Amino acid sequence: MMRTRPLKVALLGCGVVGSEVARIMTTHADDLAARIGAPVELAGVAVRRPDRVREGIDKDLVTTDATALVKRGDLDVVVEVIGGIEPARTLITTAFEHGASVVSANKALLAQDGAALHATAEEHGKDLYYEAAVAGAIPLIRPLRESLAGDKINRVMGIVNGTTNFILDKMDSTGAGYQEALDEATALGYAEADPTADVEGFDAAAKAAILAGIAFHTRVRLDDVYREGMAEVTASDFASAKEMGCTIKLLAICERAADGESVTARVHPAMIPLSHPLASVREAYNAVFVESEAAGQLMFYGPGAGGAPTASAVLGDLVAVCRNKLAGATGPGESAYTRLPVSPMGEVVTRYHISLDVADKPGVLAQVATVFAEHGVSIDTVRQSGKDGEASLVVVTHRAADAALTGTVDALRKLDTVRGVASIMRVEGE
């Protein structure tokens, strides 16, 4: 039997995502009520610009006083889609204190202060759901913390930023340079006027912190995630990748150490074999590849951003939180019982593709090979080409620790026969 008294929902933010949440709540009201077991009512919308026309939203619901809205005391759920650290953090905490559960899409805040927010939610017996914070419409958070809760996850690797994937895909498919591909992404609306958060990996790093924390049942903050941007990726890097049967993606990689005693989380460009499922992810799509002991290999794929896709994830959380409210229960909170340390990047082991500009004369290859051997880095393949006294030397290593590779490159730069290090690229997915 359906409850007739509606569950009251407040919306913090009414931009691209918030307006879609409000629209779906209105147009799908009957379906949402049937799925929840009670109607949901939009009780208030906090915005910065109240005079802006918002189609389908009663202007009497609009307010600029977000604090007063979350302090009302009669709200069941607060949906936060304003982003940033403050005032979002204070508003979410205040919502818990005044009896409301929270649905958020705020990856930056969750990556920085997720533990504190979970603790406050638990203290007040409320839910904190955030499916929309990672990979937009793709169901990922709930499968990791619920569907795979009985399994042991060893690795999560994915493309979690649509802007960067669009840029790299264009560089790969058309031969465009980085700036040319970025300009196209900006013109099409995939990249912001200031694309720093995307192309320098900050956005993906926040998502990696969230994913690692859930996957490995430990606390991983944004500061724990190694981050490397993609502005230095060139057309020649893609040419080298193709010669190896690879392409290049900006990857978020979260791994459990082989001994199970630590984890790592990192974001950086990497070559990935064309045979790997992530290599075929095109345009602005996202995909996350999960490896677990019992389930094996799983892949989650779909649109990772945009108003309607992200709103879909928000509404999924809203339905779950409202169901919990009616049942007098709460869903899963933070799981950090393993307390595993996060290892520094220097301990990460992977393969490397190094391109060197060298003098074209006898003995150069032997000198370079000696440096690799002295630093304990094993060479898999070498390719050399050149003329007129200058040459290019491409070395692909077997798996080696990042610290060992760094020492190797530093030593190579000191050789008289090495003119420069053209590029260094990690090789993943093998």
Side-chain angles (χ1 to χ4, degrees):
M1 182 176 178
M2 183 178 294
R3 191 180 85 163
T4 57
R5 184 172 67 82
L7 294 164
K8 294 188 176 183
V9 179
L11 183 60
L12 306 182
C14 198
V16 173
V17 176
S19 60
E20 280 295 306
V21 171
R23 182 188 65 81
I24 295 171
M25 284 183 64
T26 302
T27 58
H28 295 180
D30 291 343
D31 286 336
L32 290 173
R35 294 166 190 172
I36 292 169
V40 288
E41 172 190 322
L42 187 59
V45 181
V47 299
R48 287 185 298 174
R49 296 185 291 273
D51 296 332
R52 182 177 174 184
V53 176
R54 293 174 173 85
E55 186 177 346
I57 297 177
D58 186 341
K59 64 181 181 180
D60 291 336
L61 295 178
V62 177
T63 178
T64 57
D65 194 344
T67 301
L69 179 59
V70 298
K71 283 184 174 181
R72 278 177 37 166
D74 64 339
L75 300 175
D76 296 291
V77 186
V78 169
V79 175
E80 182 271 311
V81 287
I82 57 178
I85 305 302
E86 288 291 358
R89 174 171 49 199
T90 298
L91 291 170
I92 289 174
T93 300
T94 303
F96 290 140
E97 293 170 347
H98 287 78
S101 290
V102 173
V103 172
S104 176
N106 196 329
K107 54 188 172 288
L109 177 58
L110 289 159
Q112 178 172 305
D113 290 319
L117 293 176
H118 273 294
T120 305
E122 183 177 1
E123 177 187 351
H124 294 280
K126 302 302 172 186
D127 275 323
L128 173 61
Y129 276 49
Y130 43 91
E131 184 67 64
V134 180
I138 304 172
L140 183 58
I141 300 298
R142 194 170 293 120
L144 287 178
R145 72 176 186 173
E146 296 182 34
S147 303
L148 296 173
D151 206 343
K152 181 180 181 181
I153 297 173
N154 292 317
R155 195 173 203 230
V156 178
M157 178 171 74
I159 299 163
V160 295
N161 183 277
T163 300
T164 55
N165 199 58
F166 180 89
I167 292 169
L168 292 173
D169 181 47
K170 289 302 175 184
M171 292 178 69
D172 185 28
S173 60
T174 69
Y178 168 77
Q179 189 61 51
E180 183 182 353
L182 173 58
D183 290 343
E184 183 177 355
T186 303
L188 293 173
Y190 291 121
E192 301 287 346
D194 180 1
T196 302
D198 294 325
V199 300
E200 292 300 325
F202 290 101
D203 176 83
K207 296 169 181 175
I210 295 170
L211 291 174
I214 295 171
F216 307 132
H217 302 277
T218 194
R219 288 180 178 170
V220 180
R221 289 170 50 89
L222 180 59
D223 291 345
D224 296 321
V225 181
Y226 172 84
R227 177 193 55 78
E228 188 179 309
M230 50 173 273
E232 301 303 317
V233 177
T234 66
S236 62
D237 290 327
F238 274 100
S240 295
K242 287 180 179 179
E243 290 180 0
M244 291 179 58
C246 294
T247 188
I248 298 172
K249 299 291 186 182
L250 185 76
L251 298 177
I253 304 172
C254 312
E255 292 180 303
R256 189 190 300 269
D259 62 8
E261 297 301 315
S262 65
V263 299
T264 59
R266 51 197 165 102
V267 169
H268 53 71
M271 293 183 180
I272 188 167
L274 295 175
S275 58
H276 194 283
L278 290 176
S280 61
V281 179
R282 309 298 299 273
E283 298 285 333
Y285 278 79
N286 284 194
V288 177
F289 197 72
V290 177
E291 299 176 37
S292 67
E293 289 195 355
Q297 297 179 335
L298 306 169
M299 178 139 139
F300 301 83
Y301 169 86
T310 305
S312 171
V314 170
L315 267 296
D317 279 351
L318 179 63
V319 169
V321 170
C322 287
R323 286 172 174 170
N324 291 343
K325 174 75 174 183
L326 293 180
T330 56
E334 183 191 33
S335 176
Y337 72 92
T338 64
R339 297 184 175 86
L340 295 173
V342 181
S343 297
M345 187 62 188
E347 297 179 13
V348 170
V349 175
T350 190
R351 297 179 67 204
Y352 289 87
H353 175 283
I354 304 101
S355 179
L356 304 172
D357 295 325
V358 300
D360 187 17
K361 62 182 183 180
V364 173
L365 179 56
Q367 284 186 322
V368 169
T370 297
V371 170
F372 275 87
E374 288 174 347
H375 288 81
V377 179
S378 175
I379 294 176
D380 182 17
T381 61
V382 177
R383 186 175 68 255
Q384 185 173 7
S385 61
K387 61 181 180 178
D388 300 327
E390 298 296 329
S392 175
L393 188 65
V394 175
V395 178
V396 179
T397 74
H398 288 289
R399 290 173 62 83
D402 185 85
L405 196 281
T406 298
T408 302
V409 172
D410 288 343
L412 288 171
R413 295 182 195 276
K414 297 176 183 178
L415 294 177
D416 292 338
T417 51
V418 174
R419 311 298 193 210
V421 180
S423 69
I424 302 171
M425 187 79 64
R426 295 173 183 86
V427 183
E428 302 286 349
E430 295 184 311

